[in-house]
Amino acid sequence: MSVKSVVLICGGGNGAHCLAGLASLKSNIESRVLTLYSDEAERWTAKLESGLLITVRNDDGSESLIQTKPSMVTKDPKEAVSGAHYIFIVVPAFAHTSYLDAINPYMGKNTVIVGLPGQAGFEFECVDLLGDKAKHCTIVTFESLPWACRLIEFGKNVEILGIKDTLGASVLKGEQCFETRPILDLSQYIFGDKPKLRRVQNYIAITLMADSTVHPPIMYGKWSQWNGKPLSEKPLFYQGIDERQAELLSGVSDECLATAKAIKKKVPGLDMSDVIHVFDWYLKHYSSHITNKSNLMTVMRTNKAYDGLVHPMKAVEPGKYVPDFTYRYIREDVSMGIVPIKGIAELAGISTPYLDEVITWCQGKLNKEFLVGNKLTGKDLKDTRAPQKYGYNKLEDLFTGNYSI
Ligand code: NAI
């Protein structure tokens, strides 16, 4: 990488600290941070001089320390965006809109906009909010964050608890975007050796494989029959799944696969082979962590990577817990996860009884109406990123127009 690239990181949370810290280590990258939230820019700027420490917990139990120093943290979009070649948006999906609105006026041509992670409907939202400008851009969706990470001290110390082995990204290029910037090479250069990045064939394939297809079925399976009494401990999330939850998860995954197959049939030449069943996905990505590979339930129950991960719960009194239905597993993974996926399935003509059952329960918890019966015609569809909200009413609408994949 010989030409200096200007990389903007949007956000001020766990992932934004990691990315800003790692990008700042590279002498041929000028990295900047834009955070719009509350007084984060002021608080981070006040600590900038003393530097940022990244503590990495390695697989062998050892610890590596990376001392780094972002050069600029601001809440001024003009200062941050002007001249930026790559803009990574590293915030929960509900905050994407505020960043896209803020960067839009100052974005130059051939900018690469990256959702790290993008979550379902990221491309629809970018195209909608950026209007004609989006045609000059490349829109990239990563399937997740490269790291399991958490802030120890804001602006000062972030901890990387684990790094994924591989990470997929899809690339959607505007027809008037004339310069192909090497986004995967640049990202790999910033992240280091791990995770190994791979290109997913298209943005619909990455959407159908989103993490968000896992969380709502498990929440529904666990809590739909709950008697409302507080529990004395937090149940295991993945390692606690039962046959019913595994069936729901598998059913949703089958529906995503059927959608991918239908799309492949109707859109000649499109490669949807990245969309695989969740059981196969676990075997592919977590094989060495799993001790019992008999079926989906045992695969999840015996996956060491999930040690200690519990359901999102809130304490109602010391030692008494109830489920937290405002956590992102429902709040984000429904409107920006399984509802857009349902929307794509609807356009592909696939019936989705499992998705419908899960969405119906979740929307009740959110006090929203997305689905009416088995159709996405609810009054709150505007609060989602389903394709129908943006006026995509035929399957072809997703693959024709001003973008190439
Ligand atoms: P986070 O929870 O640290 O994000 C909080 C940040 O988001 C805040 O510091 C602020 O900058 C911004 N924010 C919050 N509310 C806002 C608002 N109303 N308006 C504007 N900005 C607001 O997020 P994190 O952990 O960095 O994760 C980013 C994404 O990556 C999420 O979608 C998360 O689900 C996903 N992810 C996170 C992992 C992790 O280990 N942290 C692992 C895998 C995925």
Side-chain angles (χ1 to χ4, degrees):
M1 218 138 291
S2 51
V3 184
K4 192 155 182 156
S5 301
V6 179
V7 173
L8 171 64
I9 294 117
C10 295
N14 308 305
H17 275 73
C18 293
L19 184 62
L22 292 175
S24 305
L25 294 171
K26 307 293 181 191
S27 56
N28 44 3
I29 288 182
E30 179 190 332
S31 71
R32 308 169 178 172
V33 175
L34 171 69
T35 169
L36 302 171
Y37 185 57
S38 181
D39 59 353
E40 282 185 346
E42 288 89 343
R43 288 198 289 129
W44 195 342
T45 303
K47 296 189 177 174
L48 217 49
E49 263 318 296
S50 53
L52 172 69
L53 178 68
I54 306 178
T55 308
V56 187
R57 307 247 165 255
N58 300 313
D59 288 346
D60 61 6
S62 65
E63 184 184 285
S64 314
L65 300 177
I66 301 172
Q67 191 62 54
T68 173
K69 190 169 157 188
S71 53
M72 180 215 277
V73 178
T74 178
K75 65 174 175 191
D76 176 0
K78 187 174 178 189
E79 184 184 22
V81 177
S82 304
H85 302 116
Y86 299 88
I87 302 180
F88 286 79
I89 305 184
V90 196
V91 287
F94 68 81
H96 286 167
T97 303
S98 57
Y99 279 97
L100 290 169
D101 281 338
I103 62 174
N104 191 6
Y106 309 107
M107 250 173 40
K109 290 187 173 167
N110 298 319
T111 308
V112 183
I113 302 166
V114 186
L116 182 72
Q119 315 278 37
F122 179 70
E123 293 81 0
F124 302 144
E125 186 76 352
C126 288
V127 167
D128 185 52
L129 291 179
L130 302 178
D132 261 6
K133 268 201 171 172
K135 292 181 204 159
H136 297 274
C137 295
T138 302
I139 304 168
V140 177
T141 283
F142 275 93
E143 61 188 349
S144 188
L145 264 190
W147 324 279
C149 55
R150 62 173 178 212
L151 274 173
I152 304 296
E153 187 186 340
F154 182 85
K156 196 94 200 95
N157 184 198
V158 63
E159 184 176 29
I160 295 184
L161 303 154
I163 307 178
K164 293 193 170 62
D165 290 336
T166 69
L167 189 66
S170 64
V171 180
L172 191 66
K173 192 165 168 285
E175 64 173 5
Q176 288 164 33
C177 173
F178 294 120
E179 196 179 331
T180 311
R181 295 191 187 278
I183 175 61
L184 291 198
D185 291 350
L186 176 114
S187 305
Q188 189 79 72
Y189 174 61
I190 296 174
F191 301 160
D193 292 345
K194 246 174 94 173
K196 280 270 168 286
L197 301 183
R198 57 176 212 286
R199 172 104 179 240
V200 174
Q201 281 111 353
N202 63 72
Y203 77 110
I204 296 298
I206 209 164
T207 306
L208 293 171
M209 287 306 294
D211 276 0
S212 52
T213 56
V214 173
H215 303 137
I218 294 183
M219 291 294 283
Y220 167 62
K222 177 76 186 170
W223 301 111
S224 55
Q225 304 295 322
W226 176 53
N227 61 11
K229 292 202 178 119
L231 278 67
S232 52
E233 52 188 51
K234 301 177 183 181
L236 290 169
F237 190 79
Y238 303 96
Q239 292 175 347
I241 77 163
D242 61 15
E243 279 179 10
R244 170 73 179 138
Q245 286 166 295
E247 184 204 331
L248 289 162
L249 204 52
S250 187
V252 165
S253 189
D254 283 335
E255 291 167 359
C256 291
L257 260 176
T259 302
K261 281 190 184 136
I263 291 174
K264 190 172 158 44
K265 233 183 204 165
K266 289 179 189 172
V267 187
L270 198 70
D271 185 343
M272 297 297 285
S273 60
D274 277 306
V275 185
I276 57 176
H277 193 271
V278 64
F279 178 62
D280 298 320
W281 188 89
Y282 275 110
L283 295 184
K284 192 168 167 188
H285 291 273
Y286 281 105
S287 187
S288 61
H289 295 85
I290 297 167
T291 40
N292 185 339
K293 296 177 181 158
S294 312
N295 56 49
L296 181 58
M297 184 179 79
T298 63
V299 153
M300 297 193 72
R301 289 183 80 104
T302 65
N303 184 347
K304 265 200 82 53
Y306 288 149
D307 278 359
L309 295 181
V310 293
H311 272 265
M313 309 290 283
K314 47 190 184 190
V316 280
E317 55 182 277
K320 293 277 174 210
Y321 305 99
V322 295
D324 181 359
F325 297 128
T326 64
Y327 190 66
R328 68 179 162 89
Y329 288 176
I330 290 190
R331 184 182 173 202
E332 196 169 320
D333 290 344
V334 176
S335 57
M336 290 158 197
I338 54 174
V339 168
I341 288 172
K342 163 72 187 172
I344 294 167
E346 211 171 270
L347 296 181
I350 295 298
S351 74
T352 56
Y354 282 103
L355 271 170
D356 297 353
E357 190 178 339
V358 176
I359 293 172
T360 302
W361 180 80
C362 291
Q363 68 182 9
K365 293 291 160 226
L366 292 165
N367 210 9
K368 298 275 185 190
E369 182 194 72
F370 307 130
L371 204 60
V372 177
N374 61 3
K375 287 268 170 294
L376 272 187
T377 52
K379 64 177 171 43
D380 296 315
L381 205 63
K382 60 183 186 335
D383 302 331
T384 75
R385 298 202 307 209
Q388 289 78 356
K389 168 190 157 175
Y390 303 93
Y392 300 92
N393 292 313
K394 305 189 300 296
L395 188 65
E396 298 73 44
D397 294 345
L398 304 181
F399 300 100
T400 49
N402 303 310
Y403 300 88
S404 60
I405 48 183

